[in-house]
Amino acid sequence: FSKIESGKLKIVNEPYHLSELLHEITTMIRIRSDEKGLDFHYDIDDELPDTLNGDEIRLKQIMINILNNAVKYTERGQVKLEVTGEREILRDKPFLTLKIVVSDTGLGISEDELTSIYDSFERLGENKTHKIEGTGLGLAITKNLIDLMGGSIDVKSKLNQGTTFCVKISQEIMSEETVSEYAQDHRGVEEAYTQKFTAPDVKILAVDDNEMNLKVAMGLLEPLK
């Protein structure tokens, strides 16, 4: 956040695979939603171009921040992710305006609090959320990252009924291969993997300040015993 405020955070655009990014994010959020007994649904347009040019790290950060909040502030019901897009030509190059919609059946936000939702260190509904971990910087960082990427964010919410965030970010299209086609071409590589050893006597020390990373590591190591 200090980097953003001082203007030192730069957007670095490089080619990336949208399907890989979405697979990583949905896997992570499913683990968290399962822990809380929530239903997690996602609907991704199979015809979206897969190879895009943009800042994959920042896009991932934006999506994870919003999805994490949805899970964090939802006690029962569901969290849903929808990803669609619209093509356009800018400066004689093909671009995709990604539309990312995250909705939940959580606590919701009152009308008077919606005006300050992106303020730094703002914890909405403090009387209801004081037991929930967080600094109140997540949405402020998210909004600033979206602004840096030339995108937009919109929120609709009803108290005690849920919240819906809609993010739009434009990314250059690098290939016409679709998300579905890329997944099909690389599925065989995943299925070809066979476990060749187990190591029940090995001890591994994994240190990380992100609890989710530790859970992912444990899940990957479990088949190896």
Side-chain angles (χ1 to χ4, degrees):
F1 194 72
S2 297
K3 281 186 178 181
I4 292 174
E5 285 193 321
S6 62
K8 292 181 179 179
L9 192 146
K10 305 298 181 185
I11 298 301
V12 180
N13 293 326
E14 294 178 338
Y16 68 92
H17 291 293
L18 180 62
S19 58
E20 291 181 358
L21 179 149
L22 293 173
H23 176 70
E24 184 177 336
I25 289 173
T26 53
T27 301
M28 180 187 302
I29 299 303
R30 182 173 297 285
I31 293 172
R32 292 198 168 182
S33 59
D34 284 349
E35 287 178 343
K36 291 191 68 175
L38 302 174
D39 292 325
F40 175 52
H41 303 284
Y42 57 90
D43 185 5
I44 296 164
D45 183 356
D46 285 343
E47 296 304 310
L48 291 174
D50 188 72
T51 308
L52 304 176
N53 191 55
D55 195 325
E56 178 185 10
I57 299 298
R58 299 307 173 194
L59 179 60
K60 192 182 300 183
Q61 191 174 355
I62 289 165
M63 293 182 66
I64 289 174
N65 275 350
I66 296 174
L67 282 162
N68 274 345
N69 268 0
V71 173
K72 187 188 298 185
Y73 294 107
T74 302
E75 292 304 318
R76 58 182 178 272
Q78 70 170 18
V79 172
K80 184 174 182 180
L81 167 67
E82 298 174 79
V83 183
T84 57
E86 294 183 6
R87 297 167 182 261
E88 59 181 336
I89 301 296
L90 297 173
R91 302 179 295 277
D92 297 324
K93 293 182 178 180
F95 278 78
L96 178 75
T97 299
L98 272 174
K99 183 180 179 182
I100 301 158
V101 179
V102 176
S103 55
D104 64 60
T105 57
L107 294 175
I109 306 164
S110 64
E111 281 191 35
D112 58 322
E113 288 178 319
L114 279 174
T115 57
S116 59
I117 191 172
Y118 303 116
D119 291 351
S120 306
F121 302 106
E122 184 70 28
R123 290 294 304 276
L124 301 180
E126 194 72 45
N127 59 327
K128 291 185 178 181
T129 63
H130 66 281
K131 293 184 179 179
I132 299 176
E133 290 183 9
T135 60
L137 278 177
L139 284 178
I141 291 173
T142 298
K143 176 67 165 61
N144 277 277
L145 289 175
I146 291 170
D147 289 344
L148 284 171
M149 296 176 76
S152 65
I153 183 169
D154 181 56
V155 58
K156 294 179 181 178
S157 186
K158 288 187 177 180
L159 202 59
N160 300 317
Q161 293 186 35
T163 303
T164 298
F165 282 93
C166 179
V167 175
K168 292 182 179 179
I169 295 176
S170 185
Q171 305 278 267
E172 185 182 353
I173 299 172
M174 304 302 288
S175 168
E176 286 303 323
E177 183 180 36
T178 66
V179 166
S180 176
E181 290 170 336
Y182 181 85
Q184 289 174 3
D185 290 344
H186 291 76
R187 190 172 295 139
V189 176
E190 294 179 9
E191 292 175 349
Y193 170 76
T194 56
Q195 186 176 307
K196 297 178 180 177
F197 70 94
T198 58
D201 298 324
V202 171
K203 292 183 179 180
I204 295 174
L205 173 65
V207 182
D208 199 306
D209 62 357
N210 186 323
E211 186 181 353
M212 182 54 56
N213 289 347
L214 293 174
K215 289 180 179 178
V216 171
M218 289 171 66
L220 292 171
L221 291 168
E222 190 173 0
L224 306 179
K225 300 183 181 179

